[in-house]
Amino acid sequence: MTDENPFAPPTPRAAVPAPQHPAPPPPPPAPQEQRTEQLPAQGYLGTLSAPSVAGEEPTGDTQHADPHATRTRRSRLGAGAVSAVVLLGLFAGAGGGVAAYALLDAQETARPADARLPEPAAGATQVERPEGSVAAIAADALPSVVSIEVRADQGVATGSGMILKAEGYILTNNHVVAEAANGADVTVTFSDGHEQAAELVGATPDYDLAVIRVDETGLEPLVLGDSDDVVVGDSVLAVGSPLGLEATVTTGIVSALHRPVKAGEAAEAAFIDAIQTDAAINPGNSGGPLVNSAGEVIGINSAIAQGPGTTGATGNIGLGFAIPSNQARHTAEQLIETGTATFPIIGVLLDPSYQGEGVQVSEGPQQGTPAVTPDGPADQAGLEPGDVILSIDGRPVSVADELIVAIRAKAPGDPVTLQVRSGGDEREVRVVLEERSSGQ
């Protein structure tokens, strides 16, 4: 506030004396040869770009092409750089770890000391996982799951397996270790990283199961649960080494039961009464366990579905198949005891070209083999060429593979009830399954 009369005419501005403070000196001219460019926040991703690691000058930005200007700048991360980062992450799991660490080390070196974030105190308490959680189940299962490598003249095959008995017995798929029968070397890698050579105990292509053994005792086996208790919607974990990535766990549910799956070459096809799951299963998961929420193995991962027109395994599409644990238990016991496994038959040839309801017994011999085996189970039960089998134990069948899979899920000596149509008449037929060994 001043002492001036607020109602008096204003004093002209020219009459106001100027301040007596000296004027500040003019700012020095900005250097013409050095200036910093401000880029959007996304430019910070550029510290992960490949050119910055290799010491090369980023290209493609024409506004920085002036040879007389030196600029401090952050490179923009384009699509090519993103691809390089993603690829580096993938390669790191398969031998590219040195490059990944080199990239991180370069960034640590360039970062000011005061920019480092605090680390957890030494000896900090570990987080406890609730019993029955995915993390807890995985922690219990992983030490009993192994990676398997088979080296043959044709190349190297990899897969997974589970410890079956403390005395060194390991269960896997036949197609993982098939070349072991021809002298290929089999190496097992355990969860702690140590390796052991393994020998083939026995295998069966009919069920796509095999048992190998390492010279080691005191191993921790997984428990084979009762696959007959499994229902659609049960939570499951698939454990194994997909694409060579050891100790991988994926989760999902049981999507369906009793899926008829025919896997492998025609000459040695496996017929599996499979458990279907949407847990991610990829090449390399073969032979690994499918575990339920109680930590019990309810299946052995064996196959994945592929899209129409696909000839090779390309990866998970949410349709994976596992051999039920009850089948795995029965077959593994046979393989350990005798080195071979048996499967049941009814003794008929089926007509694959039949298009009607049910499954038809061939109307005549095929390549010298009779349609109904003389004195076989079906012959003794009264089945004849041309008869149509509509169901087995009340389970409808519409294609030959469904009937074969349903029979293979039984054991030799088990009785089954077939609904059979002969001409216009239908009847129930009781058949006692006969034993057959691989190769017969």
Side-chain angles (χ1 to χ4, degrees):
M1 178 178 294
T2 66
D3 295 330
E4 296 179 30
N5 183 352
F7 301 102
T11 305
R13 290 186 180 273
V16 177
Q20 299 302 312
H21 304 292
Q32 296 300 313
E33 296 299 318
Q34 172 109 16
R35 59 181 182 268
T36 300
E37 210 175 84
Q38 298 296 324
L39 295 183
Q42 66 178 19
Y44 288 110
L45 295 177
T47 59
L48 294 176
S49 63
S52 67
V53 176
E56 299 171 359
E57 187 68 14
T59 59
D61 193 344
T62 55
Q63 68 177 336
H64 298 303
D66 181 3
H68 302 293
T70 302
R71 303 183 181 183
T72 303
R73 57 185 176 176
R74 302 184 181 98
S75 61
R76 299 175 186 269
L77 190 63
V82 171
S83 298
V85 173
V86 172
L87 288 174
L88 179 63
L90 294 176
F91 289 155
V98 173
Y101 285 123
L103 176 62
L104 293 175
D105 289 344
Q107 300 309 314
E108 290 290 334
T109 301
R111 185 185 301 159
D114 58 2
R116 298 178 186 274
L117 299 177
E119 298 182 357
T125 303
Q126 296 295 317
V127 177
E128 293 293 333
R129 307 302 181 196
E131 183 177 356
S133 67
V134 171
I137 297 169
D140 289 339
L142 282 169
S144 300
V145 179
V146 302
S147 297
I148 299 172
E149 181 182 89
V150 180
R151 289 189 172 272
D153 293 339
Q154 298 86 344
V156 179
T158 60
S160 306
M162 57 162 280
I163 297 173
L164 191 64
K165 299 182 70 175
E167 296 79 17
Y169 290 95
I170 294 169
L171 181 62
T172 185
N173 283 144
N174 171 71
H175 75 260
V176 172
V177 296
E179 287 301 319
N182 300 321
D185 294 327
V186 180
T187 303
V188 172
T189 302
F190 292 85
S191 61
D192 62 3
H194 82 277
E195 298 180 351
Q196 283 276 22
E199 63 178 2
L200 181 65
V201 174
T204 170
D206 300 295
Y207 290 112
D208 194 22
L209 290 169
V211 174
I212 59 177
R213 188 179 186 183
V214 297
D215 186 14
E216 193 165 334
T217 59
L219 301 178
E220 186 66 31
L222 285 174
V223 175
L224 287 171
D226 186 353
S227 53
D228 288 343
D229 289 341
V230 175
V231 298
V232 173
D234 279 349
S235 298
V236 290
L237 284 75
V239 189
S241 303
L243 306 178
L245 300 174
E246 300 174 3
T248 294
V249 175
T250 56
T251 63
I253 62 168
V254 172
S255 303
L257 298 171
H258 302 300
R259 288 297 195 207
V261 174
K262 180 181 178 182
E265 301 297 331
E268 291 190 332
F271 291 89
I272 304 169
D273 188 29
I275 297 172
Q276 180 183 324
T277 179
D278 66 349
I281 297 176
N282 289 285
N285 269 122
S286 293
L290 188 68
V291 182
N292 65 12
S293 57
E296 300 171 337
V297 177
I298 51 98
I300 303 300
N301 301 317
S302 182
I304 54 177
Q306 296 298 308
T310 304
T311 58
T314 58
N316 170 65
I317 59 171
L319 295 171
F321 304 98
I323 302 165
S325 57
N326 288 353
Q327 181 65 66
R329 178 188 294 105
H330 174 73
T331 302
E333 289 172 350
Q334 289 186 319
L335 294 177
I336 292 173
E337 184 175 349
T338 68
T340 60
T342 61
F343 57 91
I345 62 168
I346 62 172
V348 298
L349 292 179
L350 302 176
D351 183 358
S353 64
Y354 174 73
Q355 297 295 319
E357 182 184 8
V359 178
Q360 186 177 51
V361 179
S362 294
E363 295 182 315
Q366 296 182 14
Q367 299 179 347
T369 302
V372 179
T373 304
D375 295 326
D379 186 33
Q380 295 178 13
L383 266 72
E384 298 179 354
D387 281 352
V388 175
I389 301 173
L390 301 173
S391 66
I392 175 172
D393 290 339
R395 174 178 163 186
V397 293
S398 56
V399 294
D401 286 356
E402 286 183 337
L403 178 60
I404 296 172
V405 163
I407 292 172
R408 293 284 179 91
K410 305 290 185 177
D414 285 348
V416 296
T417 300
L418 304 178
Q419 186 74 18
V420 179
R421 178 187 296 154
S422 298
D425 298 328
E426 291 188 14
R427 69 188 190 280
E428 285 190 352
V429 177
R430 184 177 184 271
V431 180
V432 178
L433 302 178
E434 186 176 280
E435 183 176 271
R436 178 70 59 86
S437 297
S438 297
Q440 284 188 306

